[in-house]
Amino acid sequence: MPKGGEAVHAANPDVLVILSGIDYDTNLSFLRDRFFNVSFTDKLVFEQHWYSFSDGRDSWVKHNSNDFCAKIIEKVTHNGGFLIGRGFPLFLTEFGANLRSGDVSGNRYMNCLVAWAAENDLDWAVWALTGDYYLRTGQKHMVETFGVLAPNWKDVANSTYLQKLSGIQLPVRGPGLQSKKLLFHPTTGLCVTSNLSNNSPTLRLEQCRKAEPSTFNPSEGILWSNKMCVEAPDAVGQKVKLGVGTKCSKLGQTSATHMHLSFKTNNGSLLCLDVDERDNSIVANPCKCLTMDASCDPASQWFKVL
């Protein structure tokens, strides 16, 4: 790999040199305890792949999503994510899911991946743009089930999937960018913002580039949006309100992923922030999938602090 990198550098000193891992480019852990010795450092990029089947077929439907997502992110970080902390760009060059069927495993994996990609502000390339193939494995016009485009190569195959990817499309930090704290909802690709249209301000989801900054300090436990704090309701299904007084609710990061934001009501019940799909408002509901149950999907209650 160093010889290959040097060859590319010698041929064109102005291009980035992108280096892959082993095991179908899922593993760069051999670099954890050794230095990559080349004559250049300011244009070295590492790439990594991650699919749902990288962790075993159907693994995401056999395990509790909270626990499994936390476990797999730890594995992905060990295998390549650690390079970010060492100052190297990490390029997520292959990921994706089946967009044309009820791919439960793929959906759960994608919510976990998008949360991790957003947190680390990763650059990425999704598999694949392709709508279909002229010929593949002997079949004419074989549909690419992971393809962003429909087989006609004009329409989008899955608009929900495209919306999810939009949440990690824009950079959130780096040279020339104004830092903006956000509370990201991985399953929709949207961010939490204040809703001031009513007499009583609430929270809702919005495109991240339009969302008001939201800050959450885990040690403090207070979620702030538009200089107002969250006042959690006592009743299930009610909208989460914003206030400026002494009624700020203390939220905890529940579950192994730390993506559930929970609070206790006056009667001692544990509720979590959730999304009402009818209007994308933030509501309070019983926390999902905190047990070892593998059948439930907690994604509507996952929020990633960026």
Side-chain angles (χ1 to χ4, degrees), residues 60 64-70 73 107-115 183-188 190 192 205 254-261 272-275 288-290 297-305:
W60 288 87
N64 174 276
S65 291
N66 285 313
D67 296 334
F68 198 62
C69 177
I73 285 180
N107 289 338
R108 293 183 179 183
Y109 135 85
M110 276 298 303
N111 292 327
C112 183
L113 178 146
V114 168
L183 189 60
F184 180 61
H185 190 242
T187 192
T188 60
L190 301 174
V192 174
L205 294 180
T254 310
S255 80
T257 59
H258 300 294
M259 286 195 281
H260 279 84
L261 295 181
C272 280
L273 301 191
D274 204 341
V275 176
K288 298 178 182 178
C289 313
L290 298 186
D297 185 359
S300 70
Q301 296 185 343
W302 277 1
F303 296 89
K304 174 60 71 173
V305 180

Side-chain angles (χ1 to χ4, degrees), residues 18-19 21 25 28 44-49 76-77 79-85 87-93 116-117 120-124:
I18 304 177
L19 299 168
D25 198 14
L28 289 153
L44 199 57
V45 179
F46 294 96
E47 66 165 331
Q48 189 171 7
H49 295 177
V76 171
T77 301
N79 284 356
F82 68 92
L83 289 164
I84 301 171
F88 288 105
L90 183 65
F91 189 14
L92 186 61
T93 50
W116 180 72
N120 290 284
D121 196 26
L122 293 181
D123 288 324
W124 49 269

Side-chain angles (χ1 to χ4, degrees), residues 51-65:
Y51 289 99
S52 64
F53 49 80
S54 301
D55 312 308
R57 295 284 178 179
D58 298 323
S59 293
W60 288 87
V61 295
K62 295 177 181 177
H63 300 87
N64 174 276
S65 291

Side-chain angles (χ1 to χ4, degrees), residues 201-260:
T202 56
L203 291 173
R204 62 179 173 85
L205 294 180
E206 175 62 275
Q207 293 181 12
C208 292
R209 60 185 175 85
K210 297 180 179 179
E212 293 282 344
S214 296
T215 59
F216 176 75
N217 185 331
S219 60
E220 181 187 42
I222 306 297
L223 174 60
W224 296 90
S225 180
N226 206 11
K227 299 181 180 180
M228 293 180 285
C229 65
V230 163
E231 296 179 357
D234 272 334
V236 171
Q238 286 189 347
K239 292 184 179 181
V240 174
K241 296 181 180 180
L242 291 171
V244 293
T246 59
K247 297 181 180 179
C248 299
S249 298
K250 188 169 184 178
L251 305 178
Q253 289 179 298
T254 310
S255 80
T257 59
H258 300 294
M259 286 195 281
H260 279 84

Side-chain angles (χ1 to χ4, degrees), residues 144-164:
E144 172 54 79
T145 58
F146 281 43
V148 171
L149 293 179
N152 63 11
W153 285 76
K154 183 177 73 172
D155 299 322
V156 172
N158 188 317
S159 58
T160 302
Y161 183 74
L162 208 59
Q163 176 62 57
K164 189 193 299 282

Side-chain angles (χ1 to χ4, degrees), residues 180-198:
K180 182 179 179 181
K181 300 290 186 181
L182 294 169
L183 189 60
F184 180 61
H185 190 242
T187 192
T188 60
L190 301 174
C191 288
V192 174
T193 193
S194 55
N195 182 14
L196 306 180
S197 59
N198 301 320

